[in-house]
Amino acid sequence: MSKYSIEAFVNETKENPQERDYFELEKPQLLEINLNNQSVWTKAGSMVGYVGNVKFEKQGMLSGGLGNLLKKAISGEGAKLMKAEGTGKLYVADSGKKVRILHLNNESVCVNGNDVLAHEQSIKNDITMLKSVAGMMSGGLFQVKLSGTGHIAITTHGDPLTLLVTPDAPVFTDPNATVAWSGNLSPELKTNVSFKSLIGRGSGEEFQMKFSGHGWVLIQPYEEVYSIEK
């Protein structure tokens, strides 16, 4: 059999039937969710395929509740979730971004709202906002705090890097490159006026997030710029 035959292609790329975990990384950019009469929350528009009896119910916003003013301010699909329930295999992805699965054990993490791909129904989500309007202008518009026990899946452009935060070594990040951080940290928004002349393409680098205390911050090698709905 030729290594370029259709049969070889199918064998190389087909789903692995041995994988049965609730959340399974089928490919680096593709999450498989094995539903057994369960419900799961996924990012709206992220479903790329499913096998079995799965029903979908679109939710207006993240279930934490926001109010009409914030609903108008939050951009695009990043704030919307789809509830999937039933029995079968569900495949979700987001623009070819890499997927990371985390299992929280009575823990919490904060994630950039645009980087939440899926989470178990047992996980509570709460939206937190950067207080300064500057945070909106830089694209770091909203974050989601995920808490409890269960699986979550987040996405990154490329391979992420985790920076450790200690009391004697605070970490500064670009809001557009910041993916997630430990739930005990509360970032401050800092303005660096000297960067303003270097903006060029309209990035948010004149604003920085400062993380202090004990914890970690996950950054990606990409500045993700978000639009704000009018």
Side-chain angles (χ1 to χ4, degrees):
M1 180 178 65
S2 168
K3 66 178 181 178
Y4 298 118
S5 69
I6 291 178
E7 183 180 354
F9 172 76
V10 170
N11 286 334
E12 179 188 347
T13 59
K14 70 181 178 182
E15 181 261 341
N16 185 349
Q18 303 303 316
E19 296 175 339
R20 286 290 182 269
D21 286 347
Y22 188 9
F23 277 35
E24 194 75 55
L25 200 59
E26 185 64 33
K27 302 289 182 182
Q29 299 90 356
L30 191 63
L31 175 68
E32 175 185 298
I33 303 173
N34 289 289
L35 292 170
N36 184 14
N37 198 26
Q38 296 160 298
S39 298
V40 67
W41 296 97
T42 63
K43 184 175 182 178
S46 65
M47 189 276 287
V48 293
Y50 69 91
V51 178
N53 184 17
V54 182
K55 296 180 180 178
F56 299 92
E57 178 185 345
K58 194 166 186 178
Q59 304 295 311
M61 307 301 290
L62 285 167
S63 58
L66 283 175
N68 291 331
L69 183 62
L70 293 182
K71 285 183 181 180
K72 291 179 180 178
I74 288 186
S75 59
E77 292 295 299
K80 298 178 183 177
L81 286 180
M82 183 84 73
K83 183 180 181 181
E85 57 185 344
T87 299
K89 293 176 176 290
L90 172 63
Y91 299 94
V92 294
D94 186 11
S95 303
K97 294 162 69 176
K98 288 197 171 182
V99 180
R100 294 296 179 110
I101 301 170
L102 299 174
H103 185 268
L104 304 185
N105 183 15
N106 196 26
E107 298 167 294
S108 63
V109 298
C110 293
V111 185
N112 186 305
N114 200 52
D115 299 322
V116 177
L117 180 62
H119 67 77
E120 286 192 50
Q121 193 173 28
S122 60
I123 296 293
K124 179 183 178 184
N125 60 54
D126 291 300
I127 288 185
T128 59
M129 306 286 290
L130 289 178
K131 293 180 181 178
S132 172
V133 176
M136 293 187 182
M137 298 309 294
S138 68
L141 184 58
F142 67 102
Q143 296 81 41
V144 183
K145 189 170 187 177
L146 301 172
S147 308
T149 298
H151 292 87
I152 69 172
I154 63 176
T155 56
T156 65
H157 286 278
D159 293 320
L161 174 69
T162 298
L163 302 176
L164 298 182
V165 181
T166 60
D168 59 345
V171 171
F172 298 84
T173 65
D174 181 336
N176 300 84
T178 307
V179 176
W181 57 92
S182 47
N184 61 301
L185 296 181
S186 297
E188 302 174 56
L189 206 65
K190 309 285 287 185
T191 303
N192 191 328
V193 178
S194 64
F195 276 4
K196 290 196 173 183
S197 61
L198 305 175
I199 296 174
R201 58 187 176 83
S203 75
E205 288 180 345
E206 74 272 28
F207 304 106
Q208 302 167 348
M209 297 173 78
K210 179 184 179 182
F211 296 87
S212 304
H214 276 287
W216 53 267
V217 183
L218 185 70
I219 58 174
Q220 62 185 3
Y222 183 92
E223 290 182 74
E224 196 161 8
V225 180
Y226 316 103
S227 62
I228 298 177
E229 289 183 343
K230 302 300 183 183

